Amino acid sequence: MRIETIYRYPVKGLTAEAMEEVLLTPGETLPEDRRFALAQGDSPFDPAAPAWLPKRNFACLMANARLALVHSAFDARSGNLLLRLPDQPPLLASTRSEEGRAAIAAALTAHLGEDARGTPRFLEAPGHSFSDVAKKVVSIIGLSSLHALEQAAGATLDPLRFRANVYVSGGSPWAEFDWIGQEIQLGQTRLRVIKRIVRCPATEVNPATGERDAMPPRWLRDHFGHVDLGVYAEVIEGGRIAVGDALEALAPTD
């Protein structure tokens, strides 16, 4: 199998950023992945004592399809976040200043409209990832599995609906499910696959239009008897991964 694309998502629910290569660190996500989030006003998240919370506490595509219409770009060196919102001038603000974070929160809150609850906060917490799961993981999708879903449903699905970090080609559909509990070699790195990814209504949202125009969870259930696509894996040996690198399932060591 071969890496076709690599993505990070600096702000939970916002734009995927393509990468040609990246260095992975044991026990960590991709650098900058889900580093920031817009916490809803009723979210109890405390940046001073960060703990994992379910996605409903944050602006996310599952509940807020309008987020797909926001185009963002994050510069890790400067800490600046660029937002392009419909019918608004571009906003460039610093994620490192209180003023900048407030400006980002205000712009996103205005865009969410009635979907915003209370007074949302744009947040980060050093060392914390606003992932959909409590562990720090890398998400991987086999494109053969996605193509099997497309064929069964008679629909074309943008892979970015599924917001994975790594998309790989080759292999048979659903082969990645056989890796649960095993290790894989990905480029220079070694990962342990820990669980399947359960798909939610976020995948119904077209990333180009913001419309809910597909039903991947229902199609998965109807055609395959489950609602899973892709796997989560923990990095256990760090190194570089790049587009074109191989993925190989390693033999069990027991």
Side-chain angles (χ1 to χ4, degrees):
M1 303 179 79
R2 175 187 185 275
I3 297 177
E4 294 295 333
T5 48
I6 303 170
Y7 295 99
R8 69 178 186 184
Y9 307 81
V11 182
K12 185 176 184 68
L14 295 190
T15 305
E17 297 185 356
M19 311 178 75
E20 288 297 315
E21 63 178 44
V22 65
L23 287 174
L24 298 184
T25 301
E28 296 294 333
T29 64
L30 268 68
E32 320 301 339
D33 192 48
R34 278 81 173 186
R35 175 175 169 178
F36 306 99
L38 184 71
Q40 292 281 14
D42 55 3
S43 169
F45 186 83
D46 181 0
W52 181 85
L53 292 173
K55 69 179 75 176
R56 64 177 176 272
N57 289 278
F58 309 97
C60 62
L61 287 169
M62 179 186 74
N64 314 117
R66 285 177 55 80
L67 286 179
L69 301 178
V70 180
H71 298 279
S72 62
F74 176 63
D75 184 342
R77 292 185 179 181
S78 68
N80 289 336
L81 180 68
L82 174 66
L83 295 179
R84 296 185 182 276
L85 300 102
D87 304 318
Q88 297 292 326
L91 171 66
L92 182 65
S94 174
T95 62
R96 298 174 181 171
S97 71
E98 184 175 347
E99 180 183 18
R101 292 190 296 272
I104 294 167
L108 293 175
T109 299
H111 178 71
L112 288 179
E114 62 183 15
D115 286 346
R117 306 195 303 268
T119 304
R121 302 166 291 157
F122 185 77
L123 300 176
E124 72 169 314
H128 182 77
S129 172
F130 292 97
S131 173
D132 286 349
V133 293
K135 288 187 175 182
K136 292 184 178 180
V137 292
V138 173
S139 54
I140 303 170
I141 285 180
L143 290 171
S144 292
S145 303
L146 175 56
H147 296 331
L149 173 60
E150 291 179 312
Q151 185 174 9
T156 300
L157 298 171
D158 187 335
L160 288 180
R161 286 180 184 265
F162 301 92
R163 301 182 65 80
N165 296 127
V166 179
Y167 293 84
V168 296
S169 61
S172 58
W174 319 114
E176 55 268 38
F177 293 169
D178 296 332
W179 307 337
I180 305 298
Q182 297 185 19
E183 295 180 7
I184 58 174
Q185 185 78 33
L186 186 66
Q188 297 177 348
T189 70
R190 196 158 46 91
L191 300 91
R192 180 179 294 110
V193 179
I194 59 171
K195 65 182 296 185
R196 291 153 60 150
I197 303 176
V198 179
R199 291 302 167 180
C200 74
T203 61
E204 298 172 356
V205 180
N206 186 317
T209 67
E211 297 294 325
R212 293 190 185 273
D213 59 4
M215 296 179 288
R218 177 177 172 179
W219 294 339
L220 283 164
R221 183 184 299 107
D222 289 349
H223 296 289
F224 302 102
H226 59 73
V227 292
D228 306 334
L229 183 70
V231 294
Y232 290 122
E234 295 178 300
V235 181
I236 56 178
E237 184 177 302
R240 171 184 172 274
I241 65 170
V243 171
D245 281 353
L247 183 154
E248 180 183 0
L250 302 177
T253 56
D254 293 341

